[in-house]
Amino acid sequence: MSDTRARTRDRALPPVAVEDKPAWTPLKIVIWAVIAILGGLGWTMLAIVRGETVNAIWFVFAAVATYLIFYRFYSKYIERLIVRPDDRRATPAEYKSDGKDYVPTDRRVLFGHHFAAIAGAGPLTGPVLAAQMGYLPGTIWIIVGVVLAGAVQDYLVMFFSMRRGGRSLGQMAKDELGRFGGAAAILATLLIMIIITAILALVVVNALGDSPWGVFSVSMTIPIALFMGAYLRWIRPGRIAEVSLIGFVLLMVAIVAGQYVGASEWGQAIFGLDRTAIAWGIIIYGFIAAVLPVWMLLAPRDYLSTFMKIGVIVLLAVAILFVRPEIDVPAFSIFAGGETGPVWPGSLFPFLFVTIACGALSGFHALISSGTTPKMVEKEKQTRFLGYGGMLMESFVAIMALVAAISIDQGLYYAMNSSAAATGGTVEGAVAFVNSLGLTGVNVTPEQLTGAATSVGEESVISRTGGAPTLAFGLANILHQWLGGASWMAFWYHFAIMFEALFILTAVDAGTRVARFMLQDSIGNIIPRFKDTSWRVGAWVCTAIMVAGWGAVLLMGVTDPLGGINTLFPLFGISNQLLAAIALAIVMVIIARRRTFKGLWVVAVPLAFVTVVTFTGSWLKIFSSTPAVGYWANHVKFRDGIADGSYVDFAPGADDAAKLAAAEATVRNTAVQGTLSIVFLLLAAIVIAVAIIQVVKAFRATEVIDNEDPAVPSRRFAPAGLIATAEERALVKEWDALPAEQQPARGH
């Protein structure tokens, strides 16, 4: 065979690596030229031509072409310049394999797990809320932000964590930044992780509350995943396509059956749970999922949910190509220049960039990329496909969510997303409020709003805030025009609600497991035994602590009279982006200490941007004198309102008692928000300052400092990307031909 293939030290085994030497052919040149032309045309229509309406297909062309070009060229540039993977080295999944957390996993199953874990509430709800500013700011940030920042962060954090034995982000910070900077990073990541996981769980609770259909269908994914895990472990090992088909069929049965179960009396009695009961169910599930072996529940369930996630988004993209809906939302809305928009308060800069976090750049992803995934990667070269490619897929979800939101009538959008305090929660109040906004071409009628509710089988769609109902309505609005007609509008709406809940819940279970790894690493600095992730006592104790943390915040949000999502989502956005700044700062130090200075700009540019964005946003949320924007300004307004009795004029509620409870909750919650914002900002500032000092020291030094684990020769092979090359397929056949006792074990 070719000398581009590297063998193991055991000459009885086939080669373990294939060098990537792609050859340019005339056909490839033509294909990439066509992709570039379509992408350029899409961007021209969106950003330059911009007529009174714009066709939704240009969003698809601009996004997909940009993703393909940057994945093929920019991520390869990063791989050659900075990463330099070596498939002759064993990954932690191979040399630390324990059958629980360190488990070599097929790249396709692992992509499903990783994508499901990172793709939570953010790419669904953030773009929907950001549509308030018009379609263009969000589109640019989602697409440009992901290729230059979000995917870069995910890829590099995953690779460097893998090279360090799957260490958590906090432990990597301690190794690279020293005791002081590392302690600040560890404390920040643990606190932010609690907030993020609680928000993800809260969105699930809001979507599934009093929805027997959704609760049944989502619950059924657990036994289906357990069956898939057992099937691949013991019944038919390695039969990925086979179990994928079985899992997909079972998932579709669960979704369809949920409609009938939810309509039955016994189904409503068993699965018609209130929000508090669902919250406790998620807390218990999060604990169990985090302590079970990863192959048993977490990986197959995430892989299973990925079918639905990617399937629905691709279905929506195809429907857009057929339906070709015309978007009449302006490129920049009248709220882009102010800070008192009806959906969320704040100016376009910096708050758009924290409202849309997941889908463009998300610190939560750095925790997953240094949590479960690097402990399951089979070969080093797969990190580009998993890290960079997985983030591009999430960005596409965000673009489709944005298109779904802006495809519905503008008046309906604002009626659904404006608070109950603004609309009064009634059709008449919503009509009066929306028509008073001064939107060009918008004249909402009561018949329009009641008709919209009837079309999706709901009593009302007024003030259904949080983004999820709007996204569901947008999905149903497009899909019913392609499949099923008007009679299917209600089905597609409830299908989308259930899809969103399933989509987000997978980030909760993975997030809990990652939080456990982080806490074990942190305590392990004092009690070394905790660093052993296979030690069950340590795993159970740390899982219980982290679940108790985010569970308490979740229950606070569920019982909040103002609605927990309104209280916590702004804090979620800013803290998530502060965490991204921390992750990029740590990666920048690693690159500098490896003396790969030519690639430093790849990380320094997005780090500088997100630092300016998040520090400006934090400063405004802390110090703004506008109550709708500033935490402490709002705190003082409601505190003084309680003292002088004026709260009855502005606190939401049906009567004085409800108004007082809401005002007291606002005082308490804004104090928590404001305090945490100060803490997060200070911790992030410490980490970034220490990181800059370390980079300067690296420039002045002459030696290479690298905290990687010692290299261990690999004894297995797997293709690098989704589709294996001809040489990779030939090598896979050689490995498949080995006797059973020489076959490398996999956890899937």
Side-chain angles (χ1 to χ4, degrees), residues 402-643:
L402 178 64
V403 172
I406 61 179
S407 67
I408 68 176
D409 179 79
Q410 287 188 72
L412 177 60
Y413 169 83
Y414 286 104
M416 294 183 71
N417 288 282
S418 299
S419 69
T423 65
T426 65
V427 170
E428 294 76 15
V431 169
F433 176 73
V434 173
N435 288 339
S436 71
L437 294 175
L439 298 167
T440 303
V442 173
N443 184 27
V444 180
T445 64
E447 293 75 19
Q448 180 184 359
L449 298 183
T450 55
T454 302
S455 69
V456 295
E458 293 286 316
E459 292 184 5
S460 173
V461 292
I462 306 302
S463 296
R464 295 293 301 274
T465 57
T470 303
L471 175 58
F473 195 98
L475 281 165
N477 185 51
I478 294 174
L479 289 175
H480 91 275
Q481 297 179 58
W482 184 42
L483 296 173
S487 61
W488 275 50
M489 183 75 176
F491 171 83
W492 284 120
Y493 176 84
H494 289 93
F495 175 86
I497 288 289
M498 196 277 300
F499 148 73
E500 291 168 6
L502 179 62
F503 201 118
I504 298 164
L505 186 59
T506 53
V508 174
D509 50 28
T512 302
R513 196 178 195 92
V514 169
R516 185 255 286 185
F517 290 146
M518 290 164 52
L519 188 57
Q520 282 190 264
D521 267 351
S522 302
I523 297 177
N525 292 319
I526 303 171
I527 307 174
R529 183 69 190 278
F530 274 88
K531 284 185 178 290
D532 181 7
T533 58
S534 64
W535 183 40
R536 292 296 92 189
V537 174
W540 284 56
V541 169
C542 290
T543 301
I545 292 172
M546 295 307 293
V547 169
W550 66 255
V553 177
L554 169 63
L555 291 172
M556 180 188 76
V558 168
T559 57
D560 185 350
L562 294 182
I565 197 70
N566 296 329
T567 300
L568 295 173
F569 198 83
L571 183 63
F572 163 80
I574 289 179
S575 62
N576 190 31
Q577 299 303 65
L578 284 171
L579 185 56
I582 290 172
L584 288 167
I586 295 168
V587 168
M588 181 176 68
V589 173
I590 293 174
I591 294 172
R593 299 179 85 185
R594 295 171 93 211
R595 303 194 64 77
T596 319
F597 296 121
K598 288 184 179 179
L600 206 59
W601 70 271
V602 171
V603 174
V605 171
L607 171 60
F609 179 77
V610 74
T611 299
V612 171
V613 164
T614 51
F615 278 47
T616 304
S618 296
W619 184 270
L620 290 173
K621 296 301 287 185
I622 295 169
F623 295 107
S624 175
S625 60
T626 303
V629 177
Y631 294 135
W632 294 111
N634 206 28
H635 175 84
V636 170
K637 173 185 175 181
F638 277 84
R639 184 197 63 192
D640 293 348
I642 293 174

Side-chain angles (χ1 to χ4, degrees), residues 15 33 90 92 103 116 131 135 195 219 321 325 347 363 454 488 548 626 652 666:
V103 181
Y135 74 78
I195 296 297
S219 299
L321 296 179
S347 54
T454 302
W488 275 50
T626 303
T666 301

Side-chain angles (χ1 to χ4, degrees), residues 132-133 338-347 351 355 570 621 626-630:
Q132 169 182 263
M133 295 296 182
E339 60 176 14
T340 57
V343 178
W344 50 272
S347 54
F351 291 111
T355 300
K621 296 301 287 185
T626 303
V629 177

Side-chain angles (χ1 to χ4, degrees), residues 53-95:
T53 63
V54 60
N55 198 289
I57 63 172
W58 301 121
F59 291 88
V60 178
F61 287 161
V64 173
T66 304
Y67 298 151
L68 291 174
I69 290 171
F70 273 80
Y71 181 75
R72 170 60 184 84
F73 298 101
Y74 190 57
S75 70
K76 269 291 186 183
Y77 169 77
I78 295 173
E79 182 182 64
R80 291 192 304 268
L81 185 65
I82 300 174
V83 177
R84 300 172 187 170
D86 183 1
D87 276 355
R88 293 170 297 185
R89 294 177 58 141
T91 65
E94 182 177 351
Y95 66 81

